[in-house]
Amino acid sequence: MQHYLKRSAVAACAAAAALALTAGTASAAPSTVWTVSPSPAAFTAVNVGNIVLTATIPMTCTASNASGTMASTTGNPATVAAINTMAFGTSGAPCTSVLGNVTTVAVTPWDVVATDYTASTGVTKGYIGNVKANVSAGVCKFTVSGKASATYTNSTGVLAVSSVAGELTVTNPVNCGAIVTTSTKPTFKGNYAVKVAGTTTIPTIVGSNP
């Protein structure tokens, strides 16, 4: 009987601990204070690896860069940075596709929006908002707009963009036939190394609650 009672007590303690853990996780409040360091500041971003926009067919850029401003803020979701320039490809290294070279003209500003922060990893989750770009692939032309899911890692300074189908939409397709239509669900994927403009300093984003 004593063995049974001891075993029951252990089980009860384990259940209570699991319940407490679950309750603590469920009650965790999202960050509403976002501390960007340095702030305010200008930043630059350069691609790390290929940048790929897929609208039925992949369009690959081996060169891409961006610049803008960042600052601490409050709220959730919260805009922690503005992308004021975004370039895809260069004259010597244009973006390419099976339809021919690709020209992508970003209509800025775009927004860097934070929604969640994990202190143990220093990773901010969110998205690039207000995305709009006019794309030409050979004779096919169309506009992409919407948002793209992204994360930012403080330790590396990498802004990783990885949109999912449905976040971006296509409008005004011209000479694209059935390849790119208004039903196409584009995706935008790629990594950017972010630095404080004119320096080698990696900026940080930290979310917290007051």
Side-chain angles (χ1 to χ4, degrees), residues 47-177:
N47 67 298
V48 180
N50 291 341
I51 305 300
V52 181
L53 172 67
T54 301
T56 306
I57 58 170
M59 290 163 276
T60 303
C61 303
T62 60
S64 181
N65 63 80
S67 65
T69 57
M70 55 190 179
S72 299
T73 189
T74 59
N76 193 306
T79 299
V80 294
I83 299 173
N84 297 321
T85 67
M86 173 64 81
F88 297 94
T90 65
S91 57
C95 303
T96 59
S97 75
V98 295
L99 297 179
N101 287 349
V102 178
T103 300
T104 300
V105 179
V107 181
T108 55
W110 296 1
D111 304 320
V112 180
V113 181
T115 59
D116 184 64
Y117 178 73
T118 303
S120 61
T121 59
V123 174
T124 296
K125 292 182 180 180
Y127 58 88
I128 309 301
N130 200 37
V131 172
K132 185 175 182 180
N134 297 315
V135 182
S136 299
V139 297
C140 173
K141 300 179 179 181
F142 57 96
T143 298
V144 173
S145 58
K147 68 177 185 178
S149 293
T151 62
Y152 181 76
T153 303
N154 288 333
S155 61
T156 61
V158 170
L159 177 66
V161 184
S162 184
S163 70
V164 297
E167 291 184 329
L168 295 169
T169 60
V170 167
T171 56
N172 305 318
V174 177
N175 297 325
C176 300

Side-chain angles (χ1 to χ4, degrees), residues 16-28:
L19 180 61
L21 179 62
T22 301
T25 302
S27 62

